[in-house]
Amino acid sequence: MNIDLTQAALKFTPFHNRTSRACRTNSWYRWSGYTVVAEYSTTELEYTATRNGTSVMDLTPMYKYEIKGERAKEFINYFVTRDLSEMKDNTVAYVIWCNEAGKVVDDGTVFCLNQNEFKICCAVKMQTWLKDSAEGFDLDINDVTDDIAALSVQGPTSCSVLKNYGATNLESLKPFESKDFTIDGYSVLISRTGFTGDLGYELWTNPENAEKMWDSLMESGKHLKIRPMGMHALEMVRIEAGFIQTGTDFVSTEHALRPVRMRSPYEIGMGWLVHLTKKDYFIGKRALKAEKENGTTERVLVGLDIEGDKPAHGAVIYNKKKEDVGIVTAALWSPTLKRNIAIASLMRPYGTKIKDDIFVEIYHPEELEYKKIWATCKVVKRQFYSPERRNMVPAEVY
Amino acid sequence: MTKKIYDAIVVGAGHNGLTAASYMAKAGLDVLVLEKNDYIGGAAVSRELFPGWKYSNCSYVCSLLRPEIMRDLELYKYGLQIIPYEGSATMMKNGDYYAHYHDHDMTVKSISRHSKHDAEAYDRYSRDVMRQCKIIKPLLKMTPPDLTSFKPKDILGALEFAKHFAAKDELGGLGEKEIYDTIRFYTMSIADYLDEYFETDITKAHLAGSAIIGTALGPCSPGSAYVLLHHYMGEVDGSIGSWGYARGGMGSITKAMGECLKSHGGTIQASSEVTNVIVKNGRAVGVATLNGDEFYAKKVVSNLDVKRTFLKITDESDLQPDFVERVKNFKIRGSSGKLNIALEGLPTFPSIPKDDPGGNGDLHFTETIEEMEGAYDDWKRGQWSKMPYVDMCLPSKSDPTMAAPGKHFMSVFIQYVPFELANGGWNEQRKQDFGNHIINRIAEYSPDFKDLIAHYEVRTPKDIHDEVGLTEGNIFQGELTMDQLMFNRPITGYAQYRAPIKDLYMCSSSTHPGGGVMGAPGANAAREILSDMNIKQKGNHY
C-alpha cells in the first residue's frame, strides 16, 4: 500500500503497518485525527477475545499530556474533582474535571509518575484547557499524544501474555497501579487499567518500539487466544462494563454548541468522583456544592435492562408510554449476559425515585419496515458486568 | 420423626433437570435434585480424566441452549461464557479443503473456489433454512397443545402453533408455496433437499453432516432434513445457526445451573441413584434410591429419558398397558460414539492452510453423500462405520481453560456406531478396536497426530447408556422424527410434561422440543409444574 501520508486526511498510528496487515476487512474508524481499525475479522470474535483470551487494541489516539513541575500535584488536585492529595507514585486514578460552572469537561486517567510529574490521558483535546487552568502554577505542560505508542491488552489471559512478553511478576500489580519495565532493551510503562471491565493492562512505549512491541505481544499470546480488537468490539465491552464515553453518553463542555447540553458529574453517574470534602478548592467546586445542597441536579445516567432482544439504539424513553423522560445513549444485546442492556440519560425523578412503568420505544428495522416495540425496562446498576478476575490480586495466570 | 417433604424432587442432574429445578427454586419452591453419578451434569460435563486436560466428555458444543434460559438463570454470574466458532472445514483426499467461516463473505468466497453455482445457491439456501428457523423458534418455548382436547388452553395453543406455521405477521405473509415448503422440509431427506440447491458433492457433504449427527437416519432417509433444522435453530447472539464452545467445556453450563439452583436454596445430592418412584393412591409422592433412602415431595420430576422413566423407575403396575407399550415403541436408537483425546501439541492437518480460521471449528473428512450413506449402511448391519462421518474439534484452540498453553483437547464425535454389535456385544477389545479405527482414520489426514496423543477416552453408545444414562446412547433421548416431535413427543397425548401418574412430570430431552443441550424441555416443564401449583413466575422468559 503506497499512500502519500502528506495527502492523507488522517494520521497513521505507529502500529499502522501491523494493524493494517491484521485487518481482513479493510474497515477503519476515525479517531481524533487518526485512522484505526474498526473491525479486523468479525466483531463478535474480537469481542470474545476480551472475555475469553486477550484482545489487543491500538490506543494511540487517546490524547496524552504531561504535566511537570514542583506544583504539578497541587495543580492536578485543583484540576480534577477527585481528591488526589494522597496519590502515590506509580499509581493511576480515574478522574473527571469540570469547568467553573460544575459541568464536565472530560473524563480520563491521571498517571502519577512521581510527585512532580503526571500524565493525563483523555478523549478530548485538553492542551488549552490545561494551560488556562494552570495559570500561575509555573508548570511545563506538553501534548505528548504523538510521542507515545499505546496499546490496551485486555482479557482473562492478558497477565499471562504480558508475563511471556517479559513483564516479570506482573500478577502482583494491583488495579490502578503502574510499573516501568525494560523489555528487549526498550522501556514500557504497564498500568493495570482499561476500558473493558475485565482483567487488563495498558502499555505505553516510544513509537519507535511500536512494531517490535506488537510482534512480541502476538508471539507471547499465541497459545493464549490473543487477537487484535477493533473499535466496534470496544464499544460492546465498554457498555457491558458501564463505562461512559465522552461524546456518546455526554457532551464535553469544550464541544457543546448548546449550553443546555452540558452535564454536571451528578447527571452522568460520576458523583462518586466529586469530593466536596477535599481540603483545597478545585475547579467547579462552588457550583457542584451548590448543586448538591440545593438538589438542582436535573438528569441521571442509569443502566437499563430491557425486555426482548432488540437493541434500543438511540431510543426514546417514556413514562407510562406517554411522557418523554429520556434517551438511550448506548445500547447492546450483551453476548455474555444474554441481556438487552442500555445506558440511558433520564430526567429525574425518573431513574432515581421512579423506576417503574418506564418504557423504551424501539424501532427495529425489518427488511425496509420498522417494527415498533414498546419494551418495558428495569433501572439497574450501570456496571452490568464485572467479573471477579478483574480486580483479583494476584491476577489470574494461565 | 416425620420425613421432610420437598416441594419438588428432580431425578437426574443433567442440564434439563437443573434448568427445571432452577426455575422452580427461583419461584420459591424447595427443590432437591438427585443424581446417580458422583458428578453432576449428565451429558453436559467437563471431566479431567487425565491430569491437566479438561474433556467435554459427551456433548461438546453449544448453540441450542436457549438465550432466554441463560438470561433468566443469570448463568453469566456463575461463569458461563460462550465462545463462537471461527469456522468449519472438510478435508479432502486430494489435499484440498472446503471451509465455512464466521464471516459470511468469507464463506461465499471459499465455496466459490469449489463452485460458483454453490456459492450463490448458499445465500438462497440460508434464506430458506432461516425461514424455517424463524417459524420454529417461538415453538421452542411453548408447551405443545393437545390436539384432541377441547380445553381452552389447548385450543388456543393449537391456534398459536398454527399461527407460527402460517406465520403471516412474523414473515410478512407466507404464501401457500411456503407452507408447502415447510411440510416438505419436515419430511424430506437432507440429500434430496440439498440436491435442490447445490451441484457439488463437497458442498452437500459438508452441509449434510448436521442432518445426521446423533440420529439413526442416513442422509437419504426421509425426515433427515428436519434434523438439520434442529442443529440450525440455535444461535450465538443473534447469529442464527452458529455454534460455539462453552468456556471450560460443556460442564460449565451445568456447573453454572447448579450454582444458580443453590443460590435459590435448592439442593443437589450426587451419588444417589433413584431406583423407583413411590406411588401412593395413584399419586407420585417421592422416590427411593439405591441405598434404600426415601425422599418425599409434592411433585416428582424425571429428567431421565422416557424409557428409563417408565420402564425402569416406575412400576409397570402403576401404568396402563397401552401406555407402557407406546413407551416401549419409542425410538431411541444409539448411533454415535466419541473419542476424547488429550494432545501434547497441535496436530497439523496439511490440507488446511496454517492459521486458516476454517480449522478453528468443526472438522470433517466425508466428501460425498454416498460415503455418508455407506457409513449408515454399516450401522444398519450392526457394525461401526468403516468410513465414519466424524465431527471433530479442538476446543482448546479457542478456549484457554481446557489444557495448558500449547496443549490441546480434541473431541471426536463419530457417526455411526451401533448400540449392539452384530457379532456380539461390546467388550473391551472391541471398544479398543473401534478407538484405533478412528485414530487411524484421523492419522490419514494428520501425519503427526498419533505421536501427540497423551491419553484418550473411547465412548461407545453402550458406555453412554451405562454411565450417562441415555438409553442406547441416543444423544437426543429419542429420535427427532416427525412421529416423535411436538405433540407426539414423547408419547401422543402426553406431550405436556405430565406423566400418566398424578404429580409425576417429565423434563428430559425426550419431551418437546428435544435434545441438543437446549434446556427448553426443563424450562417448559417447570412452567407447567408451577402452573399446576398456581405459582406465578415473575420476569421470566419461559
Side-chain angles (χ1 to χ4, degrees), chain A residues 310-311 313 362-373:
Chain A
K310 308 288 184 274
H313 300 297
I362 303 169
Y363 285 88
H364 180 66
E366 279 184 348
E367 301 187 318
L368 294 183
E369 275 191 28
Y370 279 100
K371 186 172 168 188
K372 182 174 156 177
I373 303 165

Side-chain angles (χ1 to χ4, degrees), chain A residues 24-25 39 41-45 47-48 51-53 156-157 164 223-225 227 305-310 333-341 366-367 371 378 384-386 389 396 398, chain B residues 67-68 70-71 74-76 80-86 102-103 106 134 137 169-171 235-239 247 355-357 360 395-401 405-408 539 541:
Chain A
R24 289 164 181 266
T25 59
E39 181 179 52
S41 52
T42 64
T43 295
E44 292 75 13
L45 296 176
Y47 161 87
T48 305
R51 299 282 180 244
N52 169 54
T157 64
N164 289 350
H223 294 310
L224 292 160
K225 324 309 164 199
R227 183 187 282 274
D305 187 342
I306 302 170
E307 160 192 38
D309 58 4
K310 308 288 184 274
W333 166 258
S334 161
T336 297
L337 280 61
K338 308 292 172 198
R339 277 159 69 193
N340 193 16
I341 58 174
E366 279 184 348
E367 301 187 318
K371 186 172 168 188
K378 273 191 293 199
F384 298 99
Y385 183 64
S386 182
R389 62 178 176 249
E396 224 171 39
Y398 285 75
Chain B
E68 300 90 345
M70 295 191 243
R71 185 177 190 174
E74 299 182 289
L75 297 186
Y76 78 91
L80 182 62
Q81 178 85 45
I82 308 297
I83 309 166
Y85 266 15
E86 289 180 51
H102 194 270
D103 184 312
M106 268 176 85
K134 278 188 80 74
K137 201 173 148 185
D169 49 352
E170 270 289 304
L171 298 175
E235 60 184 292
V236 177
D237 303 306
S239 191
R247 190 171 196 263
D355 299 330
D356 186 308
N360 294 353
S396 49
K397 281 182 93 173
S398 307
D399 179 350
T401 67
K407 315 274 183 188
H408 287 277
H541 295 81

